[in-house]
Amino acid sequence: MRVSEIRLPLDHPPEALRAAVATRLALAPSEILDLSVFRRSHDARRGRPPTLIYTLDVRLADEAALWQGRSDDPHLRPTPDMRYRFVGHAPARLRSRPVIVGFGPAGIFAALILAQSGFCPLVLERGKAVRERTQDTWRLWRNNVLDAESNVQFGEGGAGTFSDGKLYSQIKDPRHYARKVLGEFVKAGAPPEILYLGKPHIGTFRLVGMVERMRHEIERLGGEVRFQQRVSGLHIEGGCVRGVRLASGEEIAAEHVVLALGHSARDTFAMLARSGVFIEAKPFAIGLRIEHPQSLIDRARFGAYAGHPLLGAADYKLVHHCSNGRTVFSFCMCPGGTVVAATSEANCVVTNGMSQYSRNERNANAGLVVGITPADFPGGPLAGIALQRQLERQAFELGGGTYAAPGQLLGDFLADRASTALGAVVPSYRPGVLLGSLASALPPYAIAALREALPAFDRQIPGFALPDALLTGVETRTSSPVRITRGADCQSLNLKGLYPAGEGAGYAGGILSAAIDGIEVAEAVTRALLA
């Protein structure tokens, strides 16, 4: 059975777990045959000592007797069967080989499930293998040299490779796909604690090796992964996909194509629109990235317990509803991390955040972003991309035209005066930060919303409005600005055989949700292949 809401002090001895469960169930500890931790999180709200909160799977000598009179206990229920079950397996002779476009989290898990089911998928990734891609990405950060096909956005592993590697989501998951994802990550080399930590993460360096090992497993099972293969067109007959065309001119026949593009495949979105694929604009968010000393966030969140090894580097999640009707919220918070250059287009500046598994860099950073809707960027399904590009080019100019990011101290931002010198916070962004004013970096409504939200956030986290905290611009790639709308069968509304998947298609937001979406789409493809 699964027992939840077992609370213990941070430094409890190991035997306290069994004793606490026995007390909760009114049993002798000897009646508990076995227990394992399913989930461990912490409660570190201000005004009380932090506590660990456990959910445990427990095996008892007489489980049936315990259920009597306890059916209404919300913290006691049967342990669910979380094993993954394939919806089908390929026949001996394959009628058609599925093609997957993109090899980020959605593409990886779509390919893995199809390979494990025997369908030998072909993966086409426009970028490079992850280690080559890492070298190209560092070339931008260190030398101001951008490879538009190999960067933070494009290449093996997707944009999540250069992030904090967060592996949690608030999506509903009745079939326990998240467990399948986390289990595959552990097989590929992720630390086993991601299976039970309340907010698991991996970090960039570990993700690199994991992604490679997952690719090798797909290939071992009969799949094929081809890099530097940009899809430039679709072969369509009678409202059905019949194949894809590569930028090299090669034509590949395919009746089942998974589009796992990622949120920055702007040229591919344009190609789909020209081809008549149904696409619609969707809400996303724009803003700035903020850096504080990590020690300030730790003290504000954990007080005297800051630095405790079980708590690690503190994170936060903030939301403020503004008087102008806008909502400002923190996005992709990276404890003990760095701000990174994340553009995929020449003469544009985009910021994002990244952490390693250790989360031991001196600064905390997060996006502070303002929600926007298609009403803010009228003009058709691709108008959000045009707005992103406009803001990114403007940031490039404000940063001096060298891929440096424009920056401003928080105190100066609130006072609407240009910054001329850094304070106590040293920027982590490379190639560098050029100080000035960010007042023109975003639309006026976004600047006004941010200026209202910052003091409100300071009331939630004392010290958040630190005058020396650093803002850098711009954060525009929060999520896809389009949705490649699909039906209940996971196929495009108007093009049979095309399966939009993951974040770029507008159906996920982060590594875990994108991976889960990849599984769901792979299952839909499996059903179609077996029909």
Side-chain angles (χ1 to χ4, degrees), residues 61-384:
D62 188 358
E63 199 169 289
L66 188 71
W67 283 116
Q68 296 178 12
R70 291 177 179 264
S71 59
D72 59 346
D73 186 341
H75 303 305
L76 186 65
R77 58 190 176 93
T79 296
D81 183 353
M82 297 182 291
R83 291 173 296 175
Y84 181 74
R85 289 172 171 79
F86 294 92
V87 301
H89 291 274
R93 291 187 177 182
L94 289 176
R95 180 175 84 243
S96 177
R97 186 185 196 188
V99 167
I100 298 167
V101 182
F103 203 52
I108 289 172
F109 274 87
L112 182 65
I113 295 299
L114 287 167
Q116 290 174 339
S117 301
F119 288 101
C120 304
L122 169 61
V123 179
L124 304 172
E125 166 56 53
R126 68 186 295 167
K128 297 180 183 178
V130 68
R131 294 194 185 273
E132 294 177 80
R133 174 195 180 195
T134 300
Q135 295 173 357
D136 292 335
T137 300
W138 278 95
R139 196 170 294 117
L140 170 63
W141 296 350
R142 290 172 173 168
N143 302 320
N144 292 2
V145 177
L146 171 69
D147 184 331
E149 295 294 335
S150 181
N151 46 62
V152 166
Q153 308 298 345
F154 299 143
E156 183 178 23
T161 305
F162 297 95
S163 70
D164 188 46
K166 296 179 183 67
L167 297 176
Y168 48 92
S169 173
Q170 295 180 326
I171 63 171
K172 294 181 180 179
D173 185 24
R175 294 187 60 187
H176 310 288
Y177 289 140
R179 198 69 174 178
K180 170 68 170 174
V181 173
L182 296 179
E184 293 292 346
F185 280 154
V186 170
K187 288 180 188 177
E193 59 262 30
I194 69 171
L195 292 173
Y196 65 81
L197 289 180
K199 292 184 176 180
H201 77 284
I202 298 177
T204 291
F205 287 169
R206 291 195 177 210
L207 277 167
V208 168
M210 288 167 50
V211 166
E212 281 186 321
R213 284 186 281 273
M214 295 185 79
R215 184 223 311 163
H216 295 325
E217 177 65 7
I218 291 165
E219 292 171 334
R220 186 188 70 81
L221 293 168
E224 180 184 353
V225 182
R226 294 171 56 181
F227 296 108
Q228 296 179 273
Q229 305 289 312
R230 181 170 63 84
V231 172
S232 60
L234 298 176
H235 179 196
I236 300 171
E237 289 182 2
C240 298
V241 170
R242 298 302 183 197
V244 299
R245 182 174 62 256
L246 303 182
S248 63
E250 181 183 356
E251 301 268 355
I252 297 175
E255 296 180 358
H256 303 85
V257 177
V258 176
L259 283 180
L261 300 173
H263 58 44
S264 293
R266 294 168 171 174
D267 49 0
T268 310
F269 295 149
M271 177 273 289
L272 295 171
R274 289 193 303 271
S275 300
V277 176
F278 185 85
I279 299 176
E280 56 187 332
K282 62 173 278 293
F284 63 105
I286 56 174
L288 308 170
R289 195 148 275 265
I290 189 167
E291 288 190 90
H292 295 92
Q294 181 63 48
S295 58
L296 181 152
I297 304 299
D298 290 344
R299 289 193 303 272
R301 301 290 284 169
F302 300 147
Y305 294 87
H308 193 287
L310 287 182
L311 296 176
D315 63 3
Y316 57 78
K317 186 175 181 180
L318 300 168
V319 180
H320 177 69
H321 301 288
C322 299
S323 57
N324 67 358
R326 303 286 171 174
T327 298
V328 179
F329 56 96
S330 58
F331 170 79
C332 186
M333 194 273 154
C334 296
T338 55
V339 181
V340 299
T343 186
S344 55
E345 293 188 348
N347 301 329
C348 290
V349 162
V350 181
T351 62
N352 198 1
M354 183 180 85
S355 295
Q356 301 303 340
Y357 180 71
S358 61
R359 289 178 165 175
N360 63 0
E361 300 292 337
R362 64 185 159 194
N363 289 352
N365 75 79
L368 294 185
V369 296
V370 182
I372 60 175
T373 72
D376 295 306
F377 46 90
L382 304 183

